[in-house]
Amino acid sequence: MYRPDLSPVADSLALSALVGALPLLTLFVLLGGLRLKAHWAGLAALGVSVVVAVGAYGMPVDLTLLAGAEGAAFGLFPIMWIVVAALWVHQLTVSSGRFTDLRRAFNLVSDDPRVQALIIAFCFGALLEALAGFGAPVAITGVMLMALGFSPVRAAVTVLVANTAPVAFGAIATPIITAGSLTGISYEDIGAYVGRQTPLLALFVPLLLVALVDGVRGIRQAWPAALVCGATFAVAQFVSSSYISVELTDIIASLVALAAVVAFLRVWQPGDGERVRRELRHAAERERQEAGGDSGPAPEARQTAQPEGQGTMSGPRVLMAFVPYIIVIAVFSVAKLLDPVEEFLAGSDVAVRWPGLDGEVLTAAGERSSTTVYVFPWLSSPGSLLVLCGVLVAVVYRVRALEAVREFGRTVLTLRWALLTVGSVLALAYVMNLSGQTISIGTWIAGAGAAFAFLSPLLGWLGTAVTGSDTSANALFATLQQTAAGKAGLDPTLLVAANTSGGVVGKMISPQNLTIAATAVGLLGKEAVLFRKAVAWSLLLLLAICLLVLLQSHVLAWMLP
């Protein structure tokens, strides 16, 4: 059996961690520095991780390749299955001609792009994160913003930054429940701690979105709406996570924030909306002219919608425009909130002990690794639920079965490079995890003693940046956070929560999420552009979380439950 050695390089944990970090450095340098396409950067980083695993950590070649194969399988199903299904649902609305009505319906609430970013990217995106997660919010809200006139790059960066504050409680609080099950700490307690951290992000993220849409001038003109949006979301997230339900936190917070913004807009509207719309149109046109031939068509390029001026937006027509998202909310609410249904779906999962790998790899603690069991959620996966939503949408919109199948095929073809990227990145994550590279990095950082309170969110950020999932980041580091807290005399629940909160700001630069965003808005191969525009915001928000956790460990301990 293979058992990872945390200090295989010169018997030094520091050197081993630096060598173990080479695949990540390769990935980020190729993406952010050399502007390589994400699938090539992912494959190159995977190659480096295999070399490090075999050459430095002594993992047998066959086990290394099998670990990568399992990771690639997980990347394709359920991760990319979710994205394919989400974009297929969207394409059904486009081919049916209803997507133009949806755009006009949002214009009835406000035709100001800054407000639309708050409603769609933040509020609606948070609701999708609460129900589905795993890239679905980025995929769906990105194309919605493009349909409203946003340029591809601006739409993608806006939804990436928006997909932060809700992530910790996403997919019915799966990241927090995972952390609780691994550490033995009550997940309600962890959720309450996280509810004292991420709401502070929620206060400022809407202001960042307004700035991304319209710069400093946008903040001056639209800050009241951003403040209402962020404050109501933050308060609702705090109250729900502490006193109502950890699982329902994002659902409650997103709906409360959406209702508050819509109500506020009845008495106040930001001025200068026409200027913003005009500038966004010009920016979108410039991007189209500058785009190379490899950028690929955006999903809405096949739109067959009616002209915007055709017909009036009556109540039934508005309702029909929102049918896909009403169906999504209804299906996921039934699947996730009704215990009998949830238990039935969970019982359908198939556990596959990965051939040649399961039983041959131990954890650093000498225990049998559970990572080598691949769970095939053929029915319970959010992707499968989204396919059901797509079938229902096709029925309601009277899309012919043959056309619906063709749209699915076109969607898979559009996502072919994204499939390769996510498969390679998840293969990289599995090789790093099972060989011991990731845990070496985490253990080295955890050796900072009392200063670890400041560095603790960095592990969550790192784990989510690599895997694209806050749940995976908690699976990697939650137990390590708990152990390091005990050694440093810190509150274990605080550091486990910090791992979760740090992960939410790492998601926007995850190659998986970058690829999903780029593909959704028709920027195939342009992930490096999005990475450079998002990484500064990610690091800034990470610093804020690090400082907050440091203060909560001492000065602001009164904030904690």
Side-chain angles (χ1 to χ4, degrees), residues 13-14 101 109 111 228 234 266 276 337 393 403 512 535 542:
L13 180 61
D101 283 351
V109 178
D111 60 359
V228 168
R266 299 182 73 89
V276 182
L337 303 181
V393 168
E403 179 60 24
Q512 172 188 312
V535 67
L542 173 64

Side-chain angles (χ1 to χ4, degrees), residues 190-242:
I190 299 173
Y193 273 66
V194 175
R196 267 78 169 178
Q197 294 168 351
T198 57
L200 295 177
L201 284 180
L203 278 173
F204 296 101
V205 168
L207 290 170
L208 292 182
L209 299 183
V210 169
L212 287 171
V213 175
D214 193 32
V216 176
R217 180 167 48 181
I219 295 179
R220 287 200 305 265
Q221 294 179 343
W223 69 265
L227 184 61
V228 168
C229 182
T232 52
F233 187 94
V235 170
Q237 196 177 57
F238 163 72
V239 171
S240 180
S241 62
S242 299

Side-chain angles (χ1 to χ4, degrees), residues 66 70 350-360 368-376:
L66 287 169
E70 185 188 0
V350 179
V352 179
R353 298 187 179 278
W354 202 257
L357 188 66
D358 184 58
E360 300 298 323
R368 183 168 178 164
S369 176
S370 61
T371 308
T372 57
V373 178
Y374 170 70
V375 178
F376 183 65

Side-chain angles (χ1 to χ4, degrees), residues 147-369:
L148 293 170
F150 283 63
S151 68
V153 170
R154 198 184 303 264
V157 175
T158 299
V159 298
L160 284 169
V161 174
N163 191 221
T164 48
V167 168
F169 297 94
I172 315 298
T174 298
I176 292 171
I177 293 173
T178 299
S181 65
L182 290 172
T183 60
I185 301 172
S186 167
Y187 76 86
E188 287 92 349
D189 291 342
I190 299 173
Y193 273 66
V194 175
R196 267 78 169 178
Q197 294 168 351
T198 57
L200 295 177
L201 284 180
L203 278 173
F204 296 101
V205 168
L207 290 170
L208 292 182
L209 299 183
V210 169
L212 287 171
V213 175
D214 193 32
V216 176
R217 180 167 48 181
I219 295 179
R220 287 200 305 265
Q221 294 179 343
W223 69 265
L227 184 61
V228 168
C229 182
T232 52
F233 187 94
V235 170
Q237 196 177 57
F238 163 72
V239 171
S240 180
S241 62
S242 299
Y243 306 110
I244 302 176
S245 168
V246 172
E247 294 92 335
L248 300 181
T249 293
D250 272 351
I251 295 176
I252 293 172
S254 58
L255 293 176
V256 168
L258 179 60
V261 172
V262 171
F264 182 66
L265 292 174
R266 299 182 73 89
V267 298
W268 179 91
Q269 287 280 350
D272 218 11
E274 176 56 36
R275 172 193 59 80
V276 182
R277 291 194 300 276
R278 185 172 59 252
E279 291 179 356
L280 288 182
R281 286 196 299 269
H282 292 162
E285 182 60 32
R286 284 197 305 271
E287 279 190 25
R288 279 192 291 270
Q289 293 174 355
E290 295 170 359
D294 59 348
S295 59
E300 76 279 3
R302 300 189 299 273
Q303 184 163 334
T304 58
Q306 309 150 7
E308 282 194 42
Q310 182 175 328
T312 58
M313 288 299 293
S314 61
R317 190 166 175 178
V318 171
L319 179 63
M320 286 295 289
F322 282 98
V323 156
Y325 307 103
I326 294 172
I327 290 175
V328 168
I329 293 170
V331 168
F332 276 91
S333 296
V334 170
K336 300 292 186 180
L337 303 181
L338 294 183
D339 289 341
V341 177
E342 184 179 23
E343 291 171 5
F344 168 75
L345 293 175
S348 68
D349 293 351
V350 179
V352 179
R353 298 187 179 278
W354 202 257
L357 188 66
D358 184 58
E360 300 298 323
V361 177
L362 302 176
T363 66
E367 300 172 351
R368 183 168 178 164
S369 176

